[in-house]
Amino acid sequence: MTKLRSILFVASMMLSALIIGIVALPALLRRDWSLAISKFWCRTCLVSLKMLCGIDDQVHGSEHLPQGAAIIAAKHQSMWETLRLTTLLPQPSFVLKKELKHWPIFSWFARRNGFIFIDREAGASALRDMTNAAKAMAAEGAQIIIFPEGTRVQPDHDAEFQPGVAALAKALKVPTVPITHDSGKYWIQPGPEKRPGTVEMTVLPALPAPRDRKTYLADLQAAINGAPVA
């Protein structure tokens, strides 16, 4: 039954993206309209996830969520956190791998929302392009969401943080809000399996803009990997 419910959820998520994306194409005329549609779709997915798969969530420390320009450094275990952070933040701007730029409908709205696509194999030029795009979005009050580990990591595993988050924090000179969660216990990767349960997300107090890259990365990694998820 769990497998069937999981497959039904994935199908409903894809179908709703197709229907909402096509019906709401005029929203691409304005960024605020596009973002509103993206938030609506994410909420429908989370409601379907709860109804079909029995996955709910609790967000702790929501008082630490920024309303203006900031960097959000979050654990990355599944797609769940992208959906939830989109609903929680006023103006989210995700840093995404360039491959997603070619997805129809998703990429149209992502670009209009001001999401930032990077080529992870481009080295220094990728960091430069990411920083320039993030500066432009931060100047408009956006929250720049980056997954410091650079890829999905299984629950109860830690990975070394990539240098991009430190470069971003140094260039933007805005606070960094660490976020930890355990979504990977319920939204299983890889594959469609979704296990019933409650995802616990914790929003931690912001770290100030860094003066020293090494100290910043150590403090950020300690905050995200050392904080209890509850």
Side-chain angles (χ1 to χ4, degrees):
M1 184 60 71
T2 297
K3 184 176 181 180
L4 176 60
R5 288 175 177 270
S6 300
I7 293 172
L8 286 174
F9 167 72
V10 173
S12 72
M13 184 171 63
M14 295 174 66
L15 183 60
S16 64
L18 179 63
I19 294 173
I20 293 172
I22 291 175
V23 171
L25 280 177
L28 294 173
L29 293 172
R30 288 181 47 161
R31 178 173 290 164
D32 56 342
W33 294 353
S34 174
L35 186 56
I37 292 299
S38 299
K39 287 175 177 285
F40 173 74
W41 177 72
C42 289
R43 291 189 185 99
T44 65
C45 290
L46 291 170
V47 169
S48 297
L49 186 65
K50 182 176 180 179
M51 293 177 62
L52 291 173
C53 302
I55 298 179
D56 202 353
D57 64 74
Q58 289 189 347
V59 179
H60 309 274
S62 56
E63 67 274 13
H64 301 307
L65 288 169
Q67 297 303 302
I71 294 170
I72 306 295
K75 267 190 172 295
H76 192 25
Q77 295 182 356
S78 72
M79 187 178 173
W80 177 87
E81 51 268 21
T82 63
L83 299 173
R84 197 67 178 98
L85 288 172
T86 299
T87 68
L88 286 171
L89 295 165
Q91 193 177 343
S93 175
F94 286 87
V95 176
L96 304 171
K97 57 185 179 181
K98 70 168 186 176
E99 289 80 4
L100 299 177
K101 196 173 186 178
H102 305 296
W103 288 16
I105 299 180
F106 168 81
S107 64
W108 305 341
F109 283 87
R111 285 196 294 264
R112 194 69 180 98
N113 293 344
F115 292 5
I116 301 164
F117 295 91
I118 61 167
D119 181 354
R120 293 181 294 187
E121 297 181 358
S125 65
L127 282 177
R128 183 174 60 252
D129 292 344
M130 177 185 69
T131 300
N132 291 337
K135 281 182 177 179
M137 291 305 300
E140 298 184 17
Q143 299 80 49
I144 312 301
I145 304 166
I146 187 169
F147 302 118
E149 294 152 320
T151 188
R152 287 192 300 264
V153 177
Q154 294 296 320
D156 303 321
H157 288 74
D158 297 331
E160 184 177 354
F161 284 12
Q162 300 301 308
V165 64
L168 202 59
K170 183 177 180 180
L172 269 58
K173 295 180 174 58
V174 297
T176 299
V177 178
I179 293 182
T180 187
H181 58 82
D182 59 357
S183 72
K185 290 168 59 178
Y186 311 101
W187 188 307
I188 310 303
Q189 295 284 356
E193 184 181 358
K194 310 289 182 290
R195 298 173 183 170
T198 300
V199 179
E200 303 283 350
M201 171 180 276
T202 301
V203 185
L204 300 162
L207 301 177
R211 295 182 180 178
D212 173 77
R213 171 184 160 181
K214 184 177 180 180
T215 302
Y216 169 81
L217 283 175
D219 290 346
L220 182 61
Q221 193 150 1
I224 292 178
N225 292 337
V229 182

